[in-house]
Amino acid sequence: MASSPPAFLPSSIPTPSPARLDALYSFTAAQRQTNEAGHRSNVRWWADALREALAAGRLGEDRLVLSVDDGLIEAVKHRERRPRGIGGVIASEITSRSLVPLPTFLASPTPIHASPSLSARAAALAAAPLWWALDQVNPWSARGETEEQTWRRVRGEYAYVALVERAAARFAAHLAANPPLDYTSSLFSPTSFQTLVGALDLLSPVREAGRKPDVPATASPVLSSRDVEVLLRWLARDAGVIVYDGEVVKLLQPDQRAADHAITDADRGTVAVLATLRRVEAQIDALEAESERCHAKAKHHLALGHKPVALASLRSKRNVDDVLARRASAAEQLRTVVRAMDQAKGDAEVMRAYETSTATLAGLLANPVLRPDRIETTTSRLADALADAKEVDDAIALGGHVAVGAAAGPGAVDDDEIAKELEALVLEVRERTAGRKEQPGTDAEKTAAPAPASLPSAPATPLAVRDDERTKPIALVSAE
């Protein structure tokens, strides 16, 4: 038979069976001696349930701070049953550093996960009482205390480190994807920062791969003032993505370091101006609503025939509108101041970039290689070297031609001799043709006379014959 889940249990934690639920509410530290695996499973379930219930806002108004008191017992009761081993669960989470006492968390100057030095740990162990040292080994109290004694010992307020890390990681991812574009958008008061993170989903449970949520995702609960203080301390001290001095929050760009961007008086003044602007804008919203109410009231009473009341409402509306106009003017003046702040900050950054680039360029130009006399000497030497290289290339080319001629040897073909031989052959053909035209004979003899042998086809282009250093075109004459 399916059992109804405890009221505090969020949908991200599966509902246990009735038998399992009974075991979860009845187990104690004594189970560790008889069934250690079952004991660990029970502790783990309660730790997960408390963490996700806190993140969902089902254990009080805080989402990152767990209050271990009677209110927690009332919140986790199921059918008037109180979990007997809840004190041991809290003790286990304290020992594993999943829960850190709130005063310690807020006052610690070093990151929570930073490992203390060996000497510091030795000193702590030497100065600690014996029961504390035993508790580091046995979270269920080596002193044999009862469940009630354990509960009284662990009462208090704790920062839930796993939830703080989850919220901080998601805010850091949001900041990396949406960096502030100007100076004033990077500055907040704790109150305005609370409004900023209230619109983000920082605490919804992490879904397992392939697992569908039991219910549609809902908006993340709004963090309380204590939650915001805890988150700000972690973001500044442990994550290093903001600078925070208790009054001013400064968001950092991904390439900025907190040590180089301390909170200044100008930052505090800017935050004060922004806070004033937000207050004035809230007043404008309230005055607009009041003006609409007076107008509606006047119309209502006029319809009822209550003319004096309608006139009074109109007078009130006129007074409200006068104040509204002054507040609107003040808000616009403040916006002008904010824009001027952004421009001044941007101008200062541009001038710093100019100064940096000037110093960099001057340093580069100070290199001895860039002296004018050295440049002139170097370029002159380069020109001489290039000229020498050209002479070498010309000499190599000339030597190549000479080498080719020498390699041809005495038996090589002479182009001039070939041209003369061709000219003599052409003259011989002409003389033979002219002799046949002068010799008499009958038509039959002419017909029977053998045709002169034809020469091979000559090139289509005229050939050139060198004669006394002059080149004349020689046309080939074919026999008729």
Side-chain angles (χ1 to χ4, degrees):
M1 183 180 82
S3 63
S4 60
F8 80 95
L9 194 66
S11 60
S12 58
I13 303 296
T15 303
S17 64
R20 172 68 172 148
L21 194 61
D22 181 71
L24 289 170
Y25 271 81
S26 61
F27 91 102
T28 63
Q31 185 188 20
R32 187 178 186 183
Q33 307 300 324
T34 59
N35 185 2
E36 186 173 359
H39 179 267
R40 282 198 304 267
S41 176
N42 291 336
V43 171
R44 188 69 268 155
W45 186 92
W46 271 106
D48 292 342
L50 291 176
R51 182 186 64 247
E52 298 306 327
L54 179 64
R58 300 192 178 192
L59 300 181
E61 64 176 5
D62 298 324
R63 272 66 175 173
L64 301 178
V65 178
L66 179 64
S67 297
V68 180
D69 52 19
D70 293 338
L72 176 62
I73 295 298
E74 292 298 322
V76 298
K77 275 185 177 181
H78 178 56
R79 296 177 180 175
E80 300 303 319
R81 291 187 64 186
R82 165 181 170 171
R84 298 178 59 190
I86 188 69
V89 174
I90 300 299
S92 176
E93 291 293 272
I94 295 172
T95 302
S96 65
R97 301 283 288 177
S98 297
L99 290 176
V100 176
L102 185 60
T104 301
F105 183 95
L106 296 177
S108 176
T110 57
I112 296 301
H113 290 319
S115 299
S117 63
L118 182 60
S119 59
R121 283 182 292 178
L125 287 172
L130 179 60
W131 68 263
W132 183 89
L134 293 175
D135 279 352
Q136 306 309 301
V137 179
N138 180 8
W140 298 101
S141 179
R143 297 171 295 146
E145 61 186 8
T146 64
E147 293 294 339
E148 188 62 31
Q149 290 172 332
T150 301
W151 170 253
R152 286 197 300 266
R153 178 169 61 86
V154 299
R155 287 172 67 100
E157 295 179 333
Y158 300 88
Y160 219 123
V161 176
L163 294 179
V164 178
E165 289 177 322
R166 182 191 301 178
R170 294 185 183 180
F171 178 79
H174 168 79
L175 183 59
N178 304 274
L181 300 179
D182 47 47
Y183 171 61
T184 55
S185 63
S186 67
L187 296 174
F188 296 86
S189 65
T191 301
S192 59
F193 184 82
Q194 182 178 9
T195 303
L196 171 66
V197 298
L200 305 177
D201 179 15
L202 301 181
L203 290 174
S204 61
V206 180
R207 298 174 186 172
E208 298 178 2
R211 178 182 175 185
K212 297 181 179 180
D214 297 332
V215 295
T218 57
S220 177
V222 177
L223 299 182
S224 67
S225 299
R226 284 204 306 183
D227 293 332
V228 170
E229 182 68 17
V230 167
L231 180 59
L232 286 172
R233 291 294 181 186
W234 183 276
L235 290 172
R237 178 190 60 210
D238 300 72
V241 298
I242 69 168
V243 182
Y244 179 52
D245 67 351
E247 298 178 355
V248 175
V249 181
K250 179 188 288 188
L251 307 183
L252 297 177
Q253 297 283 356
D255 59 342
Q256 293 179 337
R257 296 172 59 252
D260 301 330
H261 295 81
I263 303 296
T264 64
D265 291 338
D267 296 335
R268 295 185 180 90
T270 302
V271 170
V273 172
L274 293 173
T276 302
L277 175 58
R278 282 189 287 270
R279 285 196 298 270
V280 172
E281 289 175 340
Q283 292 174 2
I284 290 174
D285 293 339
L287 289 171
E288 288 177 343
E290 181 65 22
S291 178
E292 292 176 359
R293 283 195 296 270
C294 291
H295 182 71
K297 186 176 180 180
K299 290 176 62 178
H300 173 72
H301 286 287
L302 187 61
L304 295 177
H306 302 159
K307 187 175 180 180
V309 179
L311 288 174
S313 298
L314 289 178
R315 291 191 187 95
S316 298
K317 181 180 182 301
R318 180 65 58 85
N319 293 333
V320 171
D321 289 343
D322 290 342
V323 178
L324 178 60
R326 290 195 294 271
R327 288 292 182 269
S329 177
E332 184 55 34
Q333 291 177 356
L334 288 173
R335 293 189 191 97
T336 301
V337 171
V338 170
R339 287 191 291 268
M341 290 176 175
D342 286 331
Q343 182 176 353
K345 186 68 174 180
D347 293 343
E349 292 177 353
V350 170
M351 290 306 300
R352 279 197 295 270
Y354 285 166
E355 291 177 353
T356 302
S357 59
T358 300
T360 302
L361 181 59
L364 294 174
L365 294 176
N367 193 320
V369 175
L370 299 179
R371 289 203 312 266
D373 56 340
R374 188 164 178 176
I375 293 174
E376 182 179 0
T377 301
T378 302
T379 54
S380 177
R381 291 178 178 175
L382 178 61
D384 295 340
L386 292 175
D388 294 341
K390 188 176 185 307
E391 291 180 2
V392 171
D393 289 341
D394 293 342
I396 292 174
L398 180 59
H401 291 305
V402 173
V404 171
V413 178
D414 190 350
D415 292 341
D416 293 340
E417 293 179 359
I418 294 176
K420 290 179 180 180
E421 184 179 352
L422 179 61
E423 186 177 1
L425 184 60
V426 172
L427 290 175
E428 181 182 351
V429 172
R430 286 178 178 175
E431 291 175 355
R432 188 182 303 171
T433 304
R436 283 199 299 271
K437 287 183 179 180
E438 293 176 356
Q439 182 178 1
T442 65
D443 293 340
E445 291 175 347
K446 292 179 181 180
T447 304
S454 60
L455 294 175
S457 299
T461 57
L463 296 177
V465 178
R466 180 177 298 175
D467 186 11
D468 296 332
E469 299 301 324
R470 292 181 303 167
T471 304
K472 298 189 234 179
I474 300 176
L476 297 178
V477 179
S478 60
E480 294 182 356

